[in-house]
Amino acid sequence: MSEAMVNATITQLLTMEEIIQRLDPDRVADILLPKSGQIVQPFVDEFLADQPKALIDFASNYATDSEGYLQQKVAHKFLRDLTVDVQKNIGSICNLRNCVVNMMMSDRSLLGKLFEISGKDELLFLVDSGLLLGFILGIFQLFISLYWNNPWTLSIGGLVVGLATNWLALKWIFEPVNPLKIGPIVLQGLFLRRQNEVSADFSNFFANRVLTSRQLWKSMLTDPTTLPEWEKLVAKRFSSFTKDVTLGAVNLEEQKPRKLNAASARLCANLFDYLTDLHEYVDESLEIEQTLRARMMAMTSIQFERVLHPIFEEDETTLIISGGALGFLAGYVQQLLSTGSIALPQLSLGGNAKLVSLVGSVVGMFIVSVAIKPQKSLLLFVARLIERTRRLKKKTYRYLSGARRSNSAS
């Protein structure tokens, strides 16, 4: 389901080629500058492995000294140029589709949470509609069973009611896709009417749960389809860097390609750990939530219908069949009861008949209240009415008490 949803939405709404350009290379270099020594350490270790220990220690201390003026300038240039390389080659070093799908697959509860947040109203309708539609269709079943004396009408009727209830509910959620005006009435799928609200919920969920800076970098640096490209990019950048610093005297790609590639692989294996301080800036700068929300709101009804519907589609048949199975089971129990195949124990209520009747009334009122689901505004109105009644009662009591005291005094 996550793959279908990603194919229909995320890959069409976001492109890394666009949003990565919102990063300022100089700002990224400033943030990573304190970690510059750790970033270049694999290259120091690899290229000086056969040199005296004193030279290795000197090079390591020099590289990790981020306070030195020359080191700051050199390290800043390397980190800035590396950021620019990332922006230019983001298409090969980042697979947005894999990032989202892998995240969803690693934590399968995310898809359920996304549906609960984005489709909360539709989920409630799907549950509540069973009571209303089941009651209406059950009336037809009742009349059929009265005029057609066949016990199997209960089981078959339950099957039909169960199938029809879930099928109709799903239809009402997503159809009609485009608004259909019939006189003063405008018909449209319940989900599609809430496009602006769902867009806000959907984009907030993805920006804060899935497409975070931490998740994006982790995916890029661990995805088997992008990690080799990262290693090539880092190796090429360090080779160009040393070539510039030595005024062309050293070309690591030609002179020591194996050590260059080995050092690059070591750096990429640990690079994610050095990016901790960068995530807050990246999350703010990419503006993924704002971008997703604006583009989802601008979608046509046909495009927007593909946001949540794919989650249903792959299991839509199962959902309808399960409704039919439950309806058939309920009808079959009724059939057994009506034919006497099973019998309920006879209860003697005695003097508790009124109590049982009262309990039944309360339960019935509860079922009705759940079915009609009073709106929040109605509940607030009732609360205000009760409060005003209490105030009026207190004022009346004070008035009557004052009148009595006056009569007693006179």
Side-chain angles (χ1 to χ4, degrees):
M1 287 190 288
S2 58
E3 189 168 354
M5 179 192 63
V6 170
N7 290 336
T9 56
I10 297 299
T11 53
Q12 297 180 17
L13 297 172
L14 279 180
T15 63
M16 287 301 296
E17 288 83 356
E18 173 194 358
I19 62 175
I20 198 68
Q21 302 304 323
R22 297 170 183 171
L23 296 180
D24 179 5
D26 288 308
R27 178 65 177 141
V28 173
D30 290 337
I31 295 173
L32 295 180
L33 192 59
K35 300 290 182 67
S36 59
Q38 295 170 283
I39 291 174
V40 301
Q41 189 63 46
F43 294 97
V44 174
D45 294 340
E46 197 67 39
F47 288 109
L48 299 180
D50 53 354
Q51 299 298 319
K53 186 177 184 302
L55 179 59
I56 297 176
D57 292 342
F58 172 77
S60 298
N61 293 333
Y62 184 84
T64 56
D65 182 13
S66 60
E67 300 297 327
Y69 175 78
L70 183 60
Q71 291 94 319
Q72 283 188 345
K73 289 295 183 182
V74 172
H76 189 278
K77 182 181 187 312
F78 172 74
L79 294 172
R80 183 191 185 283
D81 292 344
L82 180 60
T83 305
V84 173
D85 287 343
V86 169
Q87 291 176 319
K88 290 180 179 178
N89 297 276
I90 193 65
S92 62
I93 62 175
C94 178
N95 190 322
L96 188 61
R97 178 181 171 278
N98 284 0
C99 175
V100 177
V101 173
N102 292 339
M103 183 66 178
M104 291 289 192
M105 296 300 290
S106 64
D107 185 358
R108 295 179 181 273
S109 66
L110 280 176
L111 191 61
K113 292 174 182 175
L114 171 63
F115 176 64
E116 289 177 7
I117 294 172
S118 299
K120 53 184 180 295
D121 288 2
E122 288 69 37
L123 184 61
L124 288 173
F125 172 76
L126 192 61
V127 174
D128 295 344
S129 63
L131 181 62
L132 177 60
L133 293 175
F135 176 78
I136 295 174
L137 294 174
I139 296 297
F140 290 99
Q141 179 189 359
L142 173 65
F143 282 105
I144 293 174
S145 62
L146 288 175
Y147 287 97
W148 186 18
N149 188 19
N150 188 326
W152 281 100
T153 56
L154 296 173
S155 299
I156 302 302
L159 173 65
V160 173
V161 168
L163 292 172
T165 298
N166 283 4
W167 180 79
L168 284 172
L170 289 171
K171 287 293 182 183
W172 285 349
I173 289 175
F174 296 106
E175 296 182 16
V177 176
N178 293 311
L180 177 63
K181 190 171 184 179
I182 303 177
I185 302 174
V186 179
L187 301 178
Q188 190 177 21
L190 299 178
F191 173 69
L192 300 166
R193 295 180 191 175
R194 299 194 308 115
Q195 183 164 347
N196 289 347
E197 180 184 347
V198 173
S199 298
D201 292 337
F202 188 93
S203 57
N204 179 268
F205 179 89
F206 264 88
N208 294 288
R209 300 282 193 92
V210 182
L211 294 178
T212 62
S213 171
R214 183 177 296 276
Q215 179 58 30
L216 285 171
W217 286 107
K218 184 177 181 180
S219 176
M220 287 190 284
L221 293 168
T222 57
D223 189 337
T225 65
T226 58
L227 180 57
E229 299 301 320
W230 263 96
E231 293 174 355
K232 293 177 184 177
L233 182 143
V234 171
K236 187 175 181 180
R237 170 45 47 200
F238 190 80
S239 177
S240 299
F241 170 72
T242 54
K243 192 173 181 180
D244 293 340
V245 171
T246 60
L247 302 178
V250 177
N251 188 336
L252 296 177
E253 286 184 290
E254 295 180 358
Q255 298 170 357
K256 296 184 178 182
R258 294 179 63 180
K259 288 190 174 185
L260 178 65
N261 293 332
S264 178
R266 284 182 56 191
L267 172 57
C268 290
N270 298 287
L271 183 57
F272 178 75
D273 297 333
Y274 307 144
L275 305 178
T276 305
D277 298 333
L278 186 63
H279 297 314
E280 183 178 357
Y281 168 71
V282 173
D283 284 330
E284 292 177 358
S285 300
L286 295 187
E287 297 181 342
I288 289 178
E289 180 177 355
Q290 296 90 324
T291 303
L292 274 176
R293 182 172 65 247
R295 291 181 179 174
M296 288 183 70
M297 288 181 177
M299 279 179 158
T300 64
S301 297
I302 295 176
Q303 293 172 327
F304 188 72
E305 185 261 352
R306 305 311 301 163
V307 173
L308 196 63
H309 203 177
I311 299 179
F312 279 99
E313 275 183 329
E314 295 185 11
D315 296 312
E316 199 169 88
T317 303
T318 303
L319 186 63
I320 295 173
I321 292 176
S322 65
L326 291 174
F328 178 82
L329 181 61
Y332 186 64
V333 172
Q334 290 178 323
Q335 175 183 330
L336 295 177
L337 289 171
S338 65
T339 57
S341 299
I342 59 174
L344 296 176
Q346 298 294 323
L347 298 177
S348 178
L349 302 178
N352 296 324
K354 291 185 178 181
L355 176 61
V356 174
S357 177
L358 177 61
V359 172
S361 300
V362 172
V363 172
M365 291 176 64
F366 173 76
I367 293 175
V368 171
S369 67
V370 171
I372 62 176
K373 295 189 75 65
Q375 297 297 317
K376 184 178 180 181
S377 58
L378 177 60
L379 296 177
L380 291 175
F381 171 76
V382 173
R384 287 197 299 268
L385 182 61
I386 294 174
E387 181 62 26
R388 289 174 181 174
T389 303
R390 288 175 178 172
R391 291 177 183 174
L392 180 61
K393 183 178 179 181
K394 290 180 180 179
K395 290 180 180 180
T396 303
Y397 177 77
R398 286 197 297 268
Y399 173 78
L400 293 176
S401 299
R404 287 173 184 171
R405 285 194 296 270
S406 298
N407 294 332
S408 299
S410 60

